[in-house]
Amino acid sequence: VGSQLLGLDGANPTTHIEGREPTTDEVVDFLSEAFIKLTEESNLTIIFLDDFQWIDSFTWKVIRALCDKGKNVLIMGAMRSQETQALRRMSSVASWHTRMQSRKGIIEVNIGPLESDEVKKMMSHILGYDESIIDDQLSQDIYQKTGGITIYIIELLQSIKRNNTVAVD
């Protein structure tokens, strides 16, 4: 399929019909080459992976192949900082991570929880009130209940707005 449908040079046309299933490495090569072929006309291809620490070993192989072979491919992964131990459990991931960092192929951006004053600013923005009229105790309560985690703050504030839970005197 790869050599005929996508015109992939060097694609191994071995199929199950010929008596064997392709190996994992052959499938990884096919997927990475196919992805590169399908995106070769774009100036930049961005792949975003959420909960990056939980991706399986097969996906890691495809990502590594894309990083090694692809041009103008930006892979972004999001993960909670407290989940880094889950990522480190996979030794191949950790060694690849170290190798990519040394080649300046990985940039880590740590985004921690918001501070209480930032929660108040977010409340002003989402609820549509001037920051000066937002009660300090309410913003502190929201900060404590959400731990300053942005997604939790947004969900809580959208719920408050949707249900008209907070009124301004």
Side-chain angles (χ1 to χ4, degrees):
V1 173
S3 60
Q4 296 171 356
L5 178 63
L6 298 173
L8 300 177
D9 294 330
N12 186 345
T14 303
T15 64
H16 190 270
I17 297 169
E18 294 177 349
R20 71 175 183 89
E21 293 182 11
T23 66
T24 300
D25 289 340
E26 289 171 330
V27 174
V28 167
D29 286 342
F30 171 76
L31 289 174
S32 61
E33 292 292 332
F35 184 85
I36 290 166
K37 181 73 173 174
L38 292 170
T39 59
E40 70 186 356
E41 299 299 320
S42 63
N43 293 328
L44 176 65
T45 301
I46 300 173
I47 302 169
F48 183 82
L49 302 164
D50 197 11
D51 288 329
F52 198 61
Q53 72 279 8
W54 298 118
I55 61 175
D56 57 68
S57 59
F58 180 79
T59 304
W60 266 116
K61 288 179 180 184
V62 174
I63 289 170
R64 285 196 313 259
L66 288 173
C67 288
D68 291 342
K69 299 176 190 177
K71 294 180 180 147
N72 299 324
V73 175
L74 173 63
I75 298 174
M76 298 174 65
M79 62 186 255
R80 293 184 210 107
S81 60
Q82 64 268 30
E83 303 282 359
T84 54
Q85 287 301 50
L87 181 62
R88 304 227 187 281
R89 281 185 289 212
M90 298 173 67
S91 60
S92 65
V93 172
S95 64
W96 176 81
H97 184 269
T98 303
R99 195 171 65 249
M100 290 303 287
Q101 275 185 318
S102 68
R103 292 182 7 200
K104 304 290 187 223
I106 287 182
I107 300 171
E108 288 188 28
V109 179
N110 295 312
I111 303 172
L114 298 180
E115 298 295 327
S116 58
D117 61 320
E118 295 170 314
V119 171
K120 190 171 186 178
K121 288 178 186 174
M122 185 176 275
M123 289 176 68
S124 170
H125 178 74
I126 291 176
L127 298 176
Y129 296 120
D130 189 83
E131 192 176 333
S132 63
I133 65 169
I134 294 177
D135 183 66
D136 288 336
Q137 186 58 51
L138 177 61
S139 67
Q140 191 62 33
D141 286 348
I142 289 176
Y143 171 73
Q144 289 177 349
K145 289 195 183 314
T146 62
I149 307 294
T150 308
I151 188 66
Y152 298 150
I153 298 167
I154 292 170
E155 290 296 321
L156 180 59
L157 293 175
Q158 287 177 340
S159 176
I160 288 171
K161 186 174 184 176
R162 187 174 42 254
N163 297 319
N164 295 318
T165 308
V166 174
V168 178
D169 294 333

